[in-house]
Amino acid sequence: MGERTFGPRRAGMVALGALALVLTPAGQTAWAIDNLEIMAPAAPGGGYDRTARAVLDTIEKEGLGKGGSVINVGGAGGAIGLAQFIRNKTGSGNAMIVGGFGMVASFATNKSPVTLLNVTPIARLTSEYLLVVVPKASPINSIKDLAAKLKANPAAVSWAGGSAGGTDHIFAGLIAQAAGVDPKQVNYIAFSGGGDSLAAIVGGQVTAGVGGFSELIEQVRAGNLRALGVSAEERLKGVDIPTLKEQGLDVTLSNWRGIAAPPGLSPEQTKAYLALIDTVVKSKTWQEHLAKNRWESAYLAGDAFRKYIETETARTTGVLEKLGLIK
């Protein structure tokens, strides 16, 4: 379990239970939330964890709260954490949970009894492309090499990534399909957190790995991994990594992440959560986190975000059925 604690809060807050109305450094009035607990429904080190910590760091530096922490609860593609969040935090004015495309996909695959529509969607925050990588000692030097090896013997190519049925798994399945291989034959090894997956890839325990750009790029730059391709439509600015499309595989995928509040909220509580995150995403500190992690801003708030989740759920279910990942 990972935890992050805030430093002293700036002066000028008027307490209202867990909520307070504050004047931000930019001179704007905004809601703040004390003792905010953000759940990352995965092990430390992955995208959900880093998103949660970036939100809390922004809240601290922008004077929007004190006493906050990140709680990591992995398992079942996020379903265990989400179920615990719903059970323990319904109606709470100081709890949030990070979620994203991976959870939507995992919930569809596993027919989870709880989904992101069972909580209060607050905002889609970011979008991120994925990388395909191999250990530094691998003889595989391109996506074409990997595709050829995959076609020759799918079972001999092991993949490391996040939870079964999640974003990474779908990405591996799409690569196989584009290479002319039945996605059901993909030898995919699922890890509950990005740290464990990364260790397996760097350690040469698998043939290849897939994961978020920001999770893998530093190991690529350090020479511990070799990047074969990125899931973007076009090459990323300032990044010398070819896309899969330019190497002959028609595969693109963008991973999004967002944040939600508990169910059972009062209108005032919902307003406070929406105002807090709106202030966060418009802050200088958040922009610095976007740049540092190479996340693309994908801000979409409130009812529009809920409708987006509904559409994503339907679309993702169709993709998973096509890939044979839904039993």
Side-chain angles (χ1 to χ4, degrees), residues 47-266:
Y48 294 151
D49 178 69
R50 288 180 295 106
T51 299
R53 293 176 192 280
V55 170
L56 282 180
D57 182 68
T58 301
I59 288 171
E60 177 185 27
K61 290 179 178 177
E62 295 294 328
L64 296 170
K66 67 176 181 180
S69 60
V70 169
I71 303 299
N72 296 92
V73 181
I80 291 177
L82 183 63
Q84 178 178 310
F85 181 78
I86 293 170
R87 183 172 61 251
N88 297 337
K89 300 298 183 180
T90 293
S92 172
N94 59 344
M96 302 186 83
I97 185 169
V98 171
F101 177 80
M103 287 173 70
V104 171
S106 178
F107 295 166
T109 302
N110 299 305
K111 299 180 180 179
S112 172
V114 293
T115 74
L116 289 173
L117 294 174
N118 294 125
V119 290
T120 304
I122 297 300
R124 185 183 66 188
L125 298 174
T126 64
S127 181
E128 182 181 22
Y129 294 112
L130 289 84
L131 285 178
V132 184
V133 297
V134 293
K136 64 178 181 180
S138 173
I140 299 172
N141 293 300
S142 68
I143 284 292
K144 290 183 178 179
D145 290 346
L146 182 62
K149 190 174 181 66
L150 190 62
K151 292 177 72 172
N153 187 352
V157 177
S158 56
W159 303 73
S163 301
T167 311
D168 298 344
H169 196 174
I170 290 175
F171 188 37
L174 288 171
I175 292 171
Q177 180 175 266
V181 175
D182 184 350
K184 296 178 184 178
Q185 294 183 294
V186 170
N187 180 12
Y188 186 81
I189 302 170
F191 293 86
S192 62
D196 293 337
S197 173
L198 180 60
I201 304 167
V202 172
Q205 300 171 33
V206 292
T207 308
V210 286
F213 184 94
S214 62
E215 295 177 44
L216 300 175
I217 189 60
E218 292 307 318
Q219 292 295 327
V220 171
R221 289 172 174 160
N224 297 321
L225 296 176
R226 182 183 309 122
L228 302 184
V230 62
S231 67
E233 288 279 352
E234 300 177 350
R235 288 201 183 199
L236 302 182
K237 185 178 180 180
V239 179
D240 187 24
I241 300 174
T243 67
L244 275 68
K245 289 189 71 172
E246 72 181 85
Q247 298 180 78
L249 288 187
D250 189 14
V251 177
T252 60
L253 187 64
S254 178
N255 189 14
W256 60 267
R257 297 189 182 99
I259 196 160
L265 300 179
S266 69

